[in-house]
Amino acid sequence: HRIGDRGLADLLSGYRFLRQLESYQIEQLDRSDAQLIWDGTIDIANQLNREVVTSFPVDEALSERKPGVYVLTATPEGKPEDDWGSTATQWFVVSDIGLSTFAGEDGLTVFARSLASAAPMAGVDLQLLARNNEVLGNATTDAQGRAVFTPGLMRAEGGMAPTVLAARSSDTDFVFLDMTRAG
């Protein structure tokens, strides 16, 4: 399932984010917030009394990657439907952008670096979103991968309080930081 980048502020203010979802919650997610991207089965090499790691083929399943948060849910084949039981859930974002932030008297300073090479990323478009999904400010990283948001944007309260810092370097490379939680 994919929750688009414009639905992040609402997602982060709710209780579902980063939690195991129940079947009922997954159905609601598809009805209101998300889009089903892939549905299928994966073979797992089962070894009795041993932990098994199985890779999910993200590149194959997400042939057209769009900005947002992805939610992968899994249930064993043949398991009876249970609306209230937890389903194995993995939340993820696919990106090469690594963000670091520093808040101070001079505002919010953001650094963007490549996760693959650790090199600074120039030209990354940043957007600071409020709790009510209003755009508080936009910035673009310079040659050192640095951008600054003015101090006043970080002092807002209520619905205008900063909630999400979204970064995009192309149509497919997207990542975000939840500004309401500790680092």
Side-chain angles (χ1 to χ4, degrees):
H1 313 270
R2 183 183 73 85
I3 300 171
D5 57 333
R6 296 300 297 163
L8 289 176
D10 186 48
L11 175 67
L12 296 177
S13 64
Y15 63 92
R16 295 177 300 191
F17 186 58
L18 299 180
R19 294 180 186 246
Q20 300 296 309
L21 299 177
E22 299 166 356
S23 297
Y24 172 76
Q25 292 172 317
I26 296 167
E27 288 174 20
Q28 277 200 302
L29 193 71
D30 281 338
R31 275 196 295 264
S32 61
D33 300 322
Q35 175 186 9
L36 182 64
I37 300 296
W38 183 83
D39 188 16
T41 60
I42 296 177
D43 291 328
I44 297 174
N46 190 9
Q47 294 180 8
L48 191 60
N49 298 325
R50 297 213 183 231
E51 188 173 307
V52 176
V53 176
T54 302
S55 296
F56 177 75
V58 173
D59 288 335
E60 293 173 29
L62 305 177
S63 58
E64 184 185 351
R65 204 173 308 148
K66 293 183 180 179
V69 176
Y70 292 90
V71 184
L72 176 66
T73 59
T75 54
E77 198 169 46
K79 180 184 176 210
E81 188 80 19
D82 178 9
D83 284 346
W84 306 109
S86 291
T87 301
T89 307
Q90 180 65 53
W91 298 78
F92 66 97
V93 176
V94 181
S95 180
D96 183 43
I97 306 169
L99 296 177
S100 299
T101 60
F102 301 92
E105 294 295 321
D106 59 342
L108 178 69
T109 302
V110 181
F111 291 95
R113 292 189 163 284
S114 165
L115 294 174
S117 68
M121 295 182 75
V124 174
D125 294 320
L126 303 169
Q127 194 171 56
L128 187 61
L129 299 173
R131 181 172 285 119
N132 64 6
N133 216 19
E134 288 286 329
V135 177
L136 295 174
N138 292 296
T140 303
T141 58
D142 60 18
Q144 287 78 39
R146 179 179 182 264
V148 178
F149 289 94
T150 60
L153 297 176
M154 297 306 294
R155 295 185 187 124
E157 296 178 357
M160 294 300 288
T163 302
V164 177
L165 175 65
R168 183 186 312 242
S169 68
S170 67
D171 288 338
T172 59
D173 203 354
F174 169 83
V175 73
F176 72 96
L177 282 179
D178 181 352
M179 301 298 288
T180 64
R181 300 174 195 247

